[in-house]
Amino acid sequence: MFKKDINFNKAFKPVLIGFAVFMAIGIIFSIIFGVNLSIDFKGGTRISYSYSGDIKLSDVDALTEKTISEKVDVTESAGLTSGSKKLVITLAGNKALSNELQQKLDDALVKAYPDNKIDFSESNSVDGSVAGGFFARAMAAVILTGVLVLLYVGVRFRKIGGVSAAITAFVALFLDIFVAFFTAVIFRLQIDMTFLAVILTILGYSLNDTIVVYDRVRENKGIYPDATTAELVNMSLNAVKIRTIVTTVTTFLAVVMIIVVAEVFGLTSLRSFAIPMAVGLISGCISSLFVSAPLWVIWKNKSEKKVKSGSKKKAH
């Protein structure tokens, strides 16, 4: 009666190994290349120039570092309709450019690229201590969101063991966060406020998928009171898998189109948003189907064994 096409409980360990391998790769990239934090989170100065034509970023990087004697990061973006482009030079740390150094850099760029119509656009600085506090508050917001999720799931599904369901859902959500984070690290994307929006969006999608699964488990528990937890979860996952996959694929394709536009027009901010979002959506789908509910089955089975073991000891 309970046999379905996919045994999600059996697939739990291989999927978890897959997550572990991806995160190990992400950790290696973090150690080798570091994490590209925005000046909003680590402090620094960002200088923008408008220009036309083509400029090799590595040459601008070398010229800038030679001119101001500081390590910089150079990126570019372009308008969708206009031919204008923007050159963004980021200087990490607390040191802001003096007016003299700023003018020296402006002159050096104009002299090096006379045909590219380079023009200073804007400059802004963020103090390191302010950025550190801002980063802490951003992380606190993510953690608070996770705690609220824990409370919500715990209360809503208390009839099927709300606390255990909430904790396993919480584990799956943070798997998705780490996947999105390491995706940004692997692709050398900047961790900024846009990335925070990505995290919160992924949390919403993943939580929605998980709630749909638990809701079906609760419904099936009333229909099949003699079914084991593993059977209830497996039949519930098979019942919602098409809906979950179709929803994820539809959103994923829309995000892929954003990636294509970002790559074609050199829109760095869109790229930083869309790539971790695309991978995070896939991760959310997988964690909802193969991690949260199967992990909950393991939790419930161990709890039941402890109860039975305790009952036997009392009987003796």
Side-chain angles (χ1 to χ4, degrees):
M1 179 185 293
F2 306 119
K3 187 178 180 181
K4 297 295 177 182
D5 296 331
I6 301 175
N7 189 334
F8 288 94
N9 297 312
K10 192 174 182 180
F12 170 72
K13 287 185 179 179
V15 169
L16 207 59
I17 291 171
F19 273 107
V21 170
F22 182 85
M23 290 183 189
I25 294 171
I27 291 170
I28 292 170
F29 269 76
S30 300
I31 294 171
I32 296 174
F33 301 106
V35 179
N36 185 15
L37 288 176
S38 162
I39 65 169
D40 295 329
F41 291 150
K42 67 179 179 180
T45 300
R46 184 187 294 117
I47 311 161
S48 300
Y49 295 90
S50 62
Y51 73 98
S52 59
D54 296 316
I55 293 179
K56 193 174 180 180
L57 295 187
S58 58
D59 292 341
V60 176
D61 192 302
L63 175 64
T64 304
E65 290 183 6
K66 182 180 178 181
T67 304
I68 64 175
S69 301
E70 293 288 345
K71 180 71 176 175
V72 298
D73 179 55
V74 181
T75 58
E76 66 176 345
S77 61
L80 288 172
T81 55
S82 65
S84 64
K85 300 178 182 179
K86 183 173 285 188
L87 197 65
V88 181
I89 299 173
T90 304
L91 172 65
N94 288 321
K95 183 178 178 181
L97 288 185
S98 63
N99 291 333
E100 183 182 351
L101 271 181
Q102 177 72 68
Q103 188 61 54
K104 186 178 179 181
L105 178 59
D106 296 349
D107 294 341
L109 288 171
V110 171
K111 183 179 179 180
Y113 303 99
D115 300 325
N116 294 100
K117 300 179 181 178
I118 292 183
D119 187 36
F120 173 80
S121 294
E122 61 178 349
S123 175
N124 58 78
S125 299
V126 179
D127 183 78
S129 59
V130 174
F134 188 65
F135 180 75
R137 288 193 292 272
M139 292 302 99
V142 173
I143 293 171
L144 178 61
T145 301
V147 172
L148 292 175
V149 165
L150 190 70
L151 292 173
Y152 173 75
V153 176
V155 171
R156 178 167 177 177
F157 298 104
R158 58 188 180 278
K159 291 184 179 180
I160 60 170
V163 174
S164 55
I167 292 174
T168 52
F170 193 73
V171 170
L173 291 178
F174 271 84
L175 270 180
D176 299 332
I177 290 176
F178 282 120
V179 166
F181 172 76
F182 286 127
T183 297
V185 170
I186 291 169
F187 281 90
R188 306 298 301 132
L189 303 174
Q190 194 172 71
I191 306 296
D192 53 14
M193 287 305 297
T194 300
F195 181 76
L196 185 61
V198 170
I199 292 299
L200 295 176
T201 304
I202 290 172
L203 283 177
Y205 269 95
S206 183
L207 176 62
N208 180 66
D209 290 339
T210 301
I211 286 176
V212 168
V213 173
Y214 284 145
D215 203 45
R216 186 58 65 94
V217 171
R218 183 174 57 183
E219 181 183 315
N220 284 334
K221 188 175 178 63
I223 300 173
Y224 307 103
D226 297 327
T228 65
T229 303
E231 290 170 335
L232 284 172
V233 166
N234 211 48
M235 74 168 71
S236 300
L237 287 169
N238 276 285
V240 303
K241 67 178 184 291
I242 299 300
R243 172 210 173 275
T244 301
I245 292 171
V246 168
T247 302
T248 301
V249 170
T250 302
T251 311
F252 175 78
L253 291 176
V255 175
V256 167
M257 290 307 300
I258 297 176
I259 295 174
V260 172
V261 171
E263 293 297 333
V264 170
F265 293 98
L267 303 174
T268 306
S269 58
L270 273 183
R271 188 172 184 266
S272 297
F273 170 84
I275 292 178
M277 174 66 81
V279 178
L281 285 171
I282 299 299
S283 172
C285 178
I286 293 172
S287 68
S288 296
L289 293 175
F290 294 96
V291 176
S292 60
L295 182 60
W296 180 64
V297 171
I298 295 172
W299 180 304
K300 294 287 286 183
N301 287 343
K302 286 187 176 181
S303 297
E304 289 171 6
K305 283 181 180 179
K306 284 183 180 179
V307 171
K308 288 180 181 178
S309 179
S311 300
K312 288 180 179 180
K313 286 180 180 178
K314 287 181 180 179
H316 288 298

